[in-house]
Amino acid sequence: MKKILILNGPNLNMLGKRQPEIYGNRSFEDYFRKLKKMFPQVQLDYYQSNHEGDLIDKLQEAGVKYDGVVFNPAAYTHTSIALRDTVSAIEIPVAEVHISNIYEREKFRHTSYIKDVAAFSIVGKGMDGYAEAVERLLKNN
Ligand code: DQA
C-alpha cells in the first residue's frame, strides 16, 4: 500500500475560521476525512505544524517512511530556504499545494522557494488541490 503524507504549515490549523473569503469555510480535518474516502487504496496521514523546525523534522522523517508528500508550506513558502533544502534533500517526491493562487495575490506571495524543488505545484484550486496532488503522485506526476 502506498503511503502519502499531507503536510500543512502555519495557520492552516485555522482553516474554516481563517479568512473564509480566501480559504473557504471547511476545516482541514473535515476535508481530510473526504480525502481518505476518495483514496481507500492509499495510507494517507495528516500532520500540521506552526513551526518551521517541526516541518523540517517531519519532512526528513517522511523521506524514509513515505512514498510522497503533499506539502502546503503556507507562509514559509515565501521565506524558508531551510524547508527548500529539506525538500531537495529527501528522495521522495514532494508536491507543493496552495489553496489560493499565490501568483494572483500580494507581490510578496509571488516568490515560492519550494517551487523549483517540488515535483509539481498546484495553486488556486481550493482544497481540491490536495486530491489532485495525491492523484498525480500516485501516477508519478
Ligand atoms: C497558502 C498561501 C500562502 O501565501 C499563505 O501564507 C498561506 C496559505 C495557500 O494555501 O493558499 O498561509 O499557502
Side-chain angles (χ1 to χ4, degrees):
M1 190 186 239
K2 290 259 181 178
K3 290 167 75 173
I4 292 179
L5 176 69
I6 311 290
L7 185 60
N8 273 344
N11 300 305
L12 294 172
N13 55 313
M14 293 181 75
L15 283 174
K17 297 183 207 119
R18 169 197 188 198
Q19 295 175 285
E21 67 287 2
I22 298 176
Y23 299 113
N25 44 31
R26 189 169 203 172
S27 72
F28 197 81
E29 286 71 15
D30 184 37
Y31 178 75
F32 186 61
R33 276 191 286 274
K34 175 180 162 183
L35 206 56
K36 285 183 94 150
K37 281 190 195 134
M38 285 174 78
F39 299 98
Q41 78 282 24
V42 183
Q43 185 189 315
L44 282 180
D45 294 325
Y46 167 56
Y47 185 79
Q48 187 277 334
S49 176
N50 293 325
H51 305 278
E52 190 174 19
D54 255 10
L55 294 166
I56 291 170
D57 289 345
K58 199 68 185 179
L59 275 174
Q60 289 185 5
E61 188 190 317
V64 291
K65 283 196 186 158
Y66 287 86
D67 299 297
V69 180
V70 176
F71 187 26
N72 185 344
Y76 287 138
T77 309
H78 321 298
T79 62
S80 181
I81 295 169
L83 277 168
R84 176 198 171 96
D85 285 351
T86 315
V87 172
S88 303
I90 62 176
E91 280 173 9
I92 57 167
V94 176
E96 177 191 17
V97 168
H98 299 285
I99 296 167
S100 64
N101 186 344
I102 55 174
Y103 301 105
E104 288 181 352
R105 296 182 60 192
E106 304 94 321
K107 209 157 182 212
F108 61 83
R109 295 185 202 275
H110 296 186
T111 301
S112 166
Y113 283 113
I114 307 299
K115 186 173 180 272
D116 299 337
V117 291
F120 56 87
S121 303
I122 296 174
V123 304
K125 297 198 172 170
M127 299 257 197
D128 292 341
Y130 291 86
E132 190 180 320
V134 171
E135 235 160 59
R136 283 177 65 176
L137 283 175
L138 293 173
K139 283 192 206 142
N140 280 331
N141 303 350

